[in-house]
Amino acid sequence: MDMKELKEFTLEEVAQHNRPDDLWVAIDGKVYDLSRFKDLHPGGISVLTDEEVAGKDATSSFYSLHRHEVLERAQYKRLQIGTVKGQGSVMFDRIVGELSTVPYAEPTWLAPGYYSPYFTENHREFQRALRRFVDEVIYPDAQAREEDGKRPSQSVFDKMAEINLHAMRLGPGKHLQGRVLMGGIVKPEEFDYFHELIITQEIARCGARGYGDGLLGGKVIGLPPVLNFGSPELQARIVPDVLAGKKFICLAISEAAAGSDVMGLHTTAVLSEDGKEWIINGTKKWITNATFSDYFTVGCKTEDGLTVILVERGPGVETRQIKTSYSSTAGTGYITFDNVRVPVGNTLGEVGGGIFVILSNFNHERWVMCCSSARAQRSVIEECLKWATQRTVFGKPLISQPVIRAKIAAMIERVESVQSWLENITYQMTHMSYKKQAQKLAGPIAFLKSYSTRCAQDTARDAVQIFGGRGITKTGMGKFIEHYYRTVTFDSLLGGGQSIPFVCLFQEVNIWTSTAEDVLADLGVRQAIRAMPKKARL
Ligand code: HEM
């Protein structure tokens, strides 16, 4: 309804309508006629006809039980018949494009009145533009697709391509050359890991883990091997369409039997008699974006060891969805290759040198996961702070309970330490070549990922305790907490372990237990021990 058409009512006038067949309430300065809606109300009739609610200002009771977004839905907006005289509407939740004013809901560098040694004015301008883009384009699609389980909408991929977001998500590098990034806000040669951190963290604010991976997480890990090890012809054929969001690619390494134990893979690639083609047979499991990918970066067992080959969807390639704890939006799939013929020109890197192709991207992948884990933890804190202050129990706000405050304190301590460490590592990355990063940062990134994902799981558990039954309910007040708790372990399991002995570490990760974090932490210690001065003594 147009605000101009809305009548003004005094609270005394609202109070006249306190019967089941003539039922008004005031919520946040707005007057609603619930006479007919009461029969459809998901919370039932009796709560609305209660003498504390019918004909009263029910703002506090409403926000104790509903998210603000309920009032924003078109079907409920129609229930509003007027406004309360002399009262404005003051409640708000997420404001498109704006920073949150809830304490600790933004990292320090974005919080008013605080400073950062790392982020420049260009990073800030980039963040502002990106936040608006995510809020306007990505967030609504994320919420809708989490509901219906379909992959992210093509219109979103197209809009991301317009600002070259697909390319930027791969980090700084040659693939950015000649592209106009974010409408020209950042030049390709100036784009650094802090810009990339901003991208990952802004997208993580959507609070939709399956959608986040569906938003071409497969490309983030599947395309770098093509960019770094593919022939110029292959790159010319594959890369432009993928970075335009028209074609999709995923990384297909793990298998049901061998898991992420890459040296024990069963998928085979055998050369054809004329030596011009690989003939590939085998299966892959838990492959992000597989169900809708056109290209597959596949780890295969060849005569000389492990070889990575780019396979195109075609005869002999079948994918089917795997049901995981998060939504099917991610396109997680099982793949079968049945006598698939691939030109040898699709080989990525050396024949038998697949392990280097696979390992080359691991630090970056893990760092990306730390970025998103840190940001998701922060969103949980915002949810908890809002809930604990708007929820009334035993006549008092929930936040007045010391045990609740203690849990929130622990959450804040964790997220601030993760973000600070992350920014430090990101700064190191901006000053190091890719090779140097592998030497110097494999350990620190492993520690950070291990620490960050452990913090995330503690925060998920605490958040569920704060939300109570709502923390395990898929709709309503606790829906983001329920989703977070259900999907938080993905971060600790994916991007698992790497090192010597590589195989052994992966077997541990692959048993899908919480040891993934210990494995990574152990990798960090091994790296430190390798750097120990031989003659150092107590
Ligand atoms: C414009 C007015 C209202 C609308 C549009 C509305 C709408 C809704 C919706 C959509 C739900 C389901 C929420 C979910 O997804 O879990 C719900 C639940 C509920 N509503 Fe309302 N409601 C309104 C006013 C009220 C008022 C004034 C009260 C009384 C205090 C109330 C009490 C409840 C209760 C007790 C539930 C169940 C909550 C739960 O399962 O945790 N509602 N309402």
Side-chain angles (χ1 to χ4, degrees):
M1 191 186 288
D2 190 330
M3 289 304 280
K4 280 184 293 195
E5 297 170 32
L6 290 175
K7 286 191 187 156
E8 282 193 330
F9 301 101
T10 61
L11 284 176
E12 290 71 33
E13 284 173 290
V14 175
Q16 307 300 310
H17 306 269
N18 62 351
R19 295 181 311 280
D21 55 344
D22 179 19
L23 183 61
W24 292 11
V25 292
I27 302 170
D28 185 28
K30 297 170 182 162
V31 179
Y32 294 87
D33 183 348
L34 307 182
S35 311
R36 288 203 287 177
F37 170 69
K38 68 176 187 309
D39 300 320
L40 306 169
H41 180 230
I45 301 175
S46 63
V47 286
L48 300 180
T49 53
D50 186 287
E51 60 179 28
E52 294 293 317
V53 172
K56 296 274 172 20
D57 185 330
T59 307
S60 171
S61 323
F62 179 87
Y63 282 101
S64 217
L65 295 156
H66 312 72
R67 298 183 73 90
H68 183 75
E69 69 189 30
V70 168
L71 296 178
E72 302 288 305
R73 291 184 204 151
Q75 72 266 37
Y76 301 137
K77 268 189 168 177
R78 285 202 293 269
L79 301 173
Q80 188 186 351
I81 53 167
T83 57
V84 178
K85 196 166 184 181
Q87 272 189 27
S89 172
V90 292
M91 303 298 183
F92 62 92
D93 58 358
R94 218 177 151 105
I95 304 174
V96 170
E98 299 281 312
L99 294 175
S100 171
T101 47
V102 172
Y104 301 99
E106 303 287 354
T108 321
W109 74 275
L110 286 175
Y114 292 87
Y115 303 91
S116 162
Y118 303 125
F119 292 90
T120 63
E121 191 40 52
N122 185 262
H123 293 125
R124 293 177 188 279
E125 193 185 349
F126 185 79
Q127 184 277 332
R128 281 193 291 273
L130 193 64
R131 169 131 333 168
R132 180 159 286 280
F133 182 86
V134 170
D135 283 355
E136 285 177 350
V137 177
I138 300 183
Y139 182 79
D141 195 54
Q143 301 311 314
R145 299 292 77 80
E146 282 288 342
E147 284 279 311
D148 67 22
K150 293 189 181 146
R151 73 169 167 85
S153 304
Q154 186 58 44
S155 59
V156 171
F157 290 143
D158 292 344
K159 286 189 182 129
M160 288 172 76
E162 281 168 23
I163 55 171
N164 274 307
L165 197 46
H166 299 301
M168 288 189 281
R169 286 186 75 202
L170 297 171
K174 280 191 296 203
H175 59 281
L176 298 181
Q177 276 170 12
R179 293 179 182 272
V180 179
L181 307 180
M182 206 70 216
I185 286 178
V186 55
K187 295 196 182 82
E189 61 279 14
E190 287 168 358
F191 185 92
D192 63 21
Y193 288 107
F194 281 106
H195 292 99
E196 193 192 350
L197 174 149
I198 292 168
I199 293 173
T200 308
Q201 295 210 321
E202 289 298 322
I203 292 175
R205 284 177 61 252
C206 289
R209 189 66 178 74
Y211 183 92
D213 279 356
L215 208 63
L216 307 190
K219 175 213 62 184
V220 175
I221 51 178
L223 193 60
V226 180
L227 286 170
N228 298 326
F229 299 95
S231 69
E233 300 74 43
L234 188 70
Q235 290 186 14
R237 191 155 56 79
I238 305 296
V239 177
D241 275 354
V242 172
L243 293 187
K246 303 277 180 233
K247 296 264 178 147
F248 308 110
I249 187 167
C250 61
L251 183 69
I253 306 292
S254 59
E255 299 180 359
S260 301
D261 166 10
V262 292
M263 301 310 278
L265 296 179
H266 289 199
T267 297
T268 55
V270 179
L271 278 177
S272 60
E273 277 189 11
D274 60 7
K276 289 185 178 163
E277 289 177 313
W278 290 110
I279 302 168
I280 301 180
N281 280 288
T283 62
K284 296 288 168 185
K285 191 166 184 181
W286 302 296
I287 308 305
T288 304
N289 300 170
T291 59
F292 57 84
S293 275
D294 303 284
Y295 305 116
F296 306 84
T297 300
V298 185
C300 302
K301 204 160 78 175
T302 50
E303 213 174 45
D304 302 304
L306 176 71
T307 304
V308 180
I309 301 169
L310 186 90
V311 179
E312 301 176 41
R313 193 183 278 276
V317 179
E318 297 286 340
T319 54
R320 68 173 162 80
Q321 190 201 315
I322 298 174
K323 289 188 181 170
T324 59
S325 337
Y326 66 17
S327 69
S328 50
T329 314
T332 311
Y334 188 83
I335 313 174
T336 53
F337 300 109
D338 189 11
N339 285 320
V340 179
R341 300 184 83 92
V342 178
V344 286
N346 282 21
T347 310
L348 303 175
E350 300 288 317
V351 173
I355 194 77
F356 300 105
V357 178
I358 294 170
L359 288 185
S360 69
N361 204 37
F362 254 124
N363 285 328
H364 182 256
E365 179 187 353
R366 290 193 191 126
W367 170 81
V368 168
M369 294 178 77
C370 295
C371 296
S372 73
S373 170
R375 197 58 183 79
Q377 289 176 53
R378 206 171 274 287
S379 297
V380 169
I381 292 172
E382 179 169 12
E383 291 281 306
C384 288
L385 274 170
K386 283 182 175 170
W387 170 246
T389 45
Q390 78 191 58
R391 173 69 169 170
T392 306
V393 277
F394 307 117
K396 287 196 226 156
L398 188 58
I399 195 74
S400 64
Q401 305 292 332
V403 287
I404 300 293
R405 292 201 300 272
K407 286 191 188 309
I408 291 178
M411 287 179 179
I412 293 171
E413 287 163 4
R414 287 190 288 259
V415 80
E416 290 301 334
S417 57
V418 169
Q419 179 76 20
S420 298
W421 192 1
L422 173 67
E423 290 179 10
N424 178 313
I425 285 182
T426 307
Y427 183 71
Q428 309 307 323
M429 288 166 70
T430 59
H431 285 75
M432 290 182 193
S433 65
Y434 213 72
K435 200 168 160 206
K436 198 86 177 160
Q437 287 176 32
Q439 284 165 3
K440 298 289 246 180
L441 297 179
I445 290 176
F447 280 130
L448 176 61
K449 181 167 179 290
S450 154
Y451 177 65
S452 169
T453 59
R454 268 185 290 128
C455 287
Q457 288 177 77
D458 289 346
T459 289
R461 265 191 301 274
D462 283 348
V464 170
Q465 293 301 320
I466 291 173
F467 273 76
R470 289 174 174 80
I472 52 166
T473 306
K474 283 192 177 182
T475 56
M477 298 303 273
K479 67 178 191 177
F480 287 105
I481 300 304
E482 185 281 333
H483 181 93
Y484 185 69
Y485 184 73
R486 177 161 39 90
T487 60
V488 71
T489 43
F490 280 70
D491 284 338
S492 70
L493 291 170
L494 308 185
Q498 161 219 335
S499 176
I500 302 158
F502 179 76
V503 177
C504 164
L505 288 171
F506 258 99
Q507 277 164 345
E508 279 194 66
V509 172
N510 192 47
I511 57 178
W512 289 70
T513 69
S514 58
T515 59
E517 283 136 6
D518 304 334
V519 172
L520 273 184
D522 188 54
L523 160 63
V525 175
R526 284 162 188 265
Q527 291 273 339
I529 289 171
R530 278 164 62 191
M532 277 289 283
K534 296 276 175 289
K535 300 200 169 117
R537 296 290 179 275
L538 285 174

